[in-house]
Amino acid sequence: MIDSDDSDPTAPKPYAPSLSPAEVERLRVWHERAYQAMRDRKTSNVTHLGRVFTVPPHVFPPAPMSEILGLAVLAQVRPRDRVLDMGTGSGVNAILAASRSTEVVAVDINPHAVVCARQNASAHGVSSRITFFESDVFEAVEGTFDLILFDPPFRWFAPRDTLEASIADEGYRALTRFMAEAPARLRPGGRILLFFGTSGDLDYLRGLIERSTLTSEVVAERQLTRGAETVRYLVYRLKAPPSSA
C-alpha cells in the first residue's frame, strides 16, 4: 500500500478501489487468467508493429492492444528528444523511440526484462541509441526528458513474482509515485505518453492526473471484447507547461 502522513493533507492516501466489489472480483478473474497465460508461455518471437521481438517466459510480451501506444510513440518522438521508457519490458517502446531519436533511456525493475530489452535492441540495430538499466520508477534515473513513455501495470494486486509485477502494482504504489515525480522529470513543454485501460482502476489514474500540474488529452483509444467483457484501452498525452518560470 501507499505510505501516508496524516499530518500532511497533500500526502498520498492508501489506495482504495473506486470500483464496486463486483467489478473488483471481475478484474481479479481477468487478472488471474492473464497471469496464468503469461506463466505458461515459452520463449517466443512476437511480431509487433512489423518488428519481431524475442521474449523469454519471465518477461512481459508486447500485447496487440498496446499497438496504440507504439503508434503514438512513432508519431510523437522527435529527432532531438531525450526519451525515457519507464518499465521497458522487452524493449518494444524504447526501440520504437530509437527509430526516431538518438538518446533513449530504458529502465525496468525486472532484471530479466533489462537483459531481454538490450538483446532486442541489438537485434534491431539501435543499441548505440539506448541506455538500459534497472530502476524502481525514477530511483536510478538521472536528468530530465522531453518525452516519457509509461505502460504501467493495470491492476493494484500484490504480485507473486517479478513476472506478475509487470501487470500488478500493489496499491498502485509505482503509478502513484510516477505521477508525483514525473512533472519534475519533464523539460519545459515535455510530454508523457501513458497507456492504461478499464481492466484497471481508470478512475484512480484520472484522479492522479487531475491533481497533477500536467495538461491531459486522450490521443488514442481502442476496445477489446472477449466474451461478455469489453475493455477500453487509452493513451493519454500529459504535457508540462512550456516554461518552468
Side-chain angles (χ1 to χ4, degrees):
M1 301 297 283
I2 302 164
D3 293 333
S4 64
D5 181 355
D6 292 338
S7 66
D8 181 359
T10 66
K13 300 298 187 290
Y15 170 74
S18 65
L19 305 162
S20 70
E23 289 173 317
V24 170
E25 181 57 27
R26 175 180 60 81
L27 290 184
R28 284 194 183 278
V29 172
W30 177 286
H31 176 84
E32 192 62 26
R33 185 169 60 229
Y35 173 59
Q36 292 303 327
M38 288 170 59
R39 287 192 63 186
D40 292 342
R41 286 184 61 255
K42 308 292 185 185
T43 296
S44 59
N45 292 326
V46 181
T47 300
H48 186 80
L49 293 176
R51 295 167 171 84
V52 178
F53 300 87
T54 301
V55 188
H58 34 262
V59 176
F60 182 70
M65 297 309 294
S66 61
E67 286 184 356
I68 61 171
L69 175 59
L71 291 170
V73 170
L74 292 172
Q76 292 284 326
V77 175
R78 301 178 299 216
R80 295 192 178 186
D81 279 346
R82 184 174 192 240
V83 181
L84 171 65
D85 183 22
M86 178 70 68
T88 193
S90 58
V92 168
N93 291 312
I95 290 166
L96 292 175
S99 72
R100 301 285 192 268
S101 170
T102 59
E103 189 177 4
V104 179
V105 175
V107 302
D108 203 290
I109 196 171
N110 181 353
H112 301 294
V114 174
V115 172
C116 170
R118 187 178 288 120
Q119 291 172 343
N120 280 319
S122 178
H124 285 271
V126 292
S127 291
S128 64
R129 295 176 169 225
I130 311 174
T131 302
F132 292 100
F133 54 88
E134 293 177 45
S135 184
D136 184 1
V137 195
F138 290 101
E139 190 172 274
V141 176
E142 297 182 355
T144 56
F145 299 86
D146 301 289
L147 180 64
I148 299 175
L149 315 173
F150 194 26
D151 182 354
F154 285 7
R155 262 80 68 189
W156 61 93
F157 311 139
R160 286 160 282 190
D161 52 34
T162 54
L163 175 62
E164 190 175 11
S166 62
I167 59 172
D169 169 18
E170 185 174 9
Y172 283 136
R173 180 201 63 84
L175 180 62
T176 304
R177 182 178 169 191
F178 175 86
M179 287 302 304
E181 298 180 12
R185 296 304 191 117
L186 288 174
R187 294 172 177 175
R191 302 97 66 213
I192 297 171
L193 291 176
L194 194 156
F195 181 61
F196 211 76
T198 55
S199 60
D201 192 341
L202 183 59
D203 284 344
Y204 181 73
L205 172 61
R206 285 170 172 158
L208 293 176
I209 293 172
E210 289 171 1
R211 289 190 293 274
S212 76
T213 58
L214 308 173
T215 60
S216 167
E217 64 176 316
V218 174
V219 295
E221 184 172 351
R222 190 177 292 180
Q223 289 193 166
L224 169 67
T225 299
R226 181 181 296 160
E229 302 285 349
T230 297
V231 178
R232 291 171 54 230
Y233 296 91
L234 307 98
V235 177
Y236 285 92
R237 182 173 60 191
L238 313 178
K239 192 171 182 180
S243 173
S244 59

